[in-house]
Amino acid sequence: MTDKLPQPPYPLPDGIKSVANLLRDRKNIVVLAGAGLSVSCGIPDFRSRDTGLYSTLDATALGLSTPEDLFDYETFVEDPSPFYKFAKVLYPGTVEPSYSHYFLSLLEQNGVLRRVYTQNIDGLEELAGVTGEKLVYAHGSLTVAKCLTCHAKLNSRDILSDVMKGKVPRCARVVPKVILKKARKKGKSSASARQTRNEYMFGKNAP
């Protein structure tokens, strides 16, 4: 089964071998994943002293009052530009999975993975080969974007170009209508329709 998996960029560590031996005869394995799974990929966790995102983020440079505002829903709705200036750091397609992510895919390939509950929004579990039906995103995922106006959903690849430039993506379904409406009313051609992440932010209720 392992020949179907993407090959990791480095040898399998001994620590993971011991975990594999422990799980060898187990079935219906449930995985609880957190930020530590992606730290080795270069994605910082949030609260570690000195190295966590909230300790290292220059909130002032992004026009924010505090680092926590980066993931505050009301702040995002008011002005999404700070988030999109930062987003390329962890956006899907810009970071490679670790072997720990590939290990989860290996469990599924061998028919023993029941579910992965992850707090991470980076989508690296899917990139490593874990199927969507096995994944539960506790805080949503950056793999999907949703328009704040018409609620259309897009794959992250559809807005990757804008994200990498630090630009706020605009919804192609809404912008032409907004431009037309504003042009008729004010003689201007600006538009404010924008994409949001399909994740649960501070101040936004989870289902």
Side-chain angles (χ1 to χ4, degrees):
M1 304 292 289
T2 57
D3 59 335
K4 297 182 180 179
L5 292 174
Q7 293 302 306
Y10 43 82
L12 181 66
D14 291 338
I16 295 184
K17 288 182 180 179
S18 65
V19 172
N21 289 332
L22 178 67
L23 300 178
R24 188 178 301 278
D25 298 320
R26 303 299 194 272
K27 296 181 179 180
N28 294 322
I29 296 171
V30 174
V31 177
L32 306 180
L37 193 66
S38 297
V39 167
S40 64
C41 304
I43 298 177
D45 63 18
F46 285 84
R47 296 178 177 85
S48 289
R49 182 178 296 181
D50 299 327
T51 60
L53 178 62
Y54 292 155
S55 296
T56 59
L57 183 72
D58 188 346
T60 303
L62 293 175
L64 300 172
S65 300
T66 67
E68 288 82 359
D69 285 343
L70 185 66
F71 295 98
D72 179 79
Y73 183 68
E74 290 186 3
T75 300
F76 179 84
V77 171
E78 181 178 342
D79 181 10
S81 59
F83 174 81
Y84 282 109
K85 290 177 182 177
F86 167 82
K88 61 183 178 182
V89 174
L90 48 77
Y91 216 70
T94 63
V95 182
E96 292 296 324
S98 70
Y99 203 84
S100 297
H101 295 99
Y102 288 118
F103 182 66
L104 302 182
S105 182
L106 178 64
L107 293 177
E108 182 176 3
Q109 291 286 342
N110 283 276
V112 297
L113 182 67
R114 180 68 175 269
R115 196 81 67 228
V116 176
Y117 294 92
T118 179
Q119 297 184 73
N120 300 332
I121 61 175
D122 50 47
L124 291 178
E125 295 90 353
E126 287 190 69
L127 188 59
V130 180
T131 59
E133 65 182 22
K134 295 293 185 181
L135 279 167
V136 176
Y137 288 104
H139 300 300
S141 169
L142 288 174
T143 59
V144 176
K146 184 174 68 175
C147 178
L148 289 172
T149 302
C150 75
H151 307 296
K153 291 184 178 182
L154 296 174
N155 187 284
S156 61
R157 293 188 299 271
D158 297 326
I159 61 173
L160 181 60
S161 177
D162 283 339
V163 170
M164 295 309 295
K165 296 175 183 176
K167 296 172 55 180
V168 178
R170 306 291 174 177
C171 180
R173 295 186 181 185
V174 175
V175 168
K177 296 179 181 179
V178 174
I179 291 175
L180 181 60
K181 183 177 180 179
K182 288 193 173 185
R184 288 174 175 172
K185 187 175 182 180
K186 299 180 180 181
K188 298 180 180 179
S189 59
S190 61
S192 59
R194 53 187 178 250
Q195 297 286 343
T196 184
R197 294 94 72 224
N198 190 33
E199 65 188 75
Y200 307 117
M201 309 172 72
F202 301 128
K204 185 179 180 183
N205 294 329

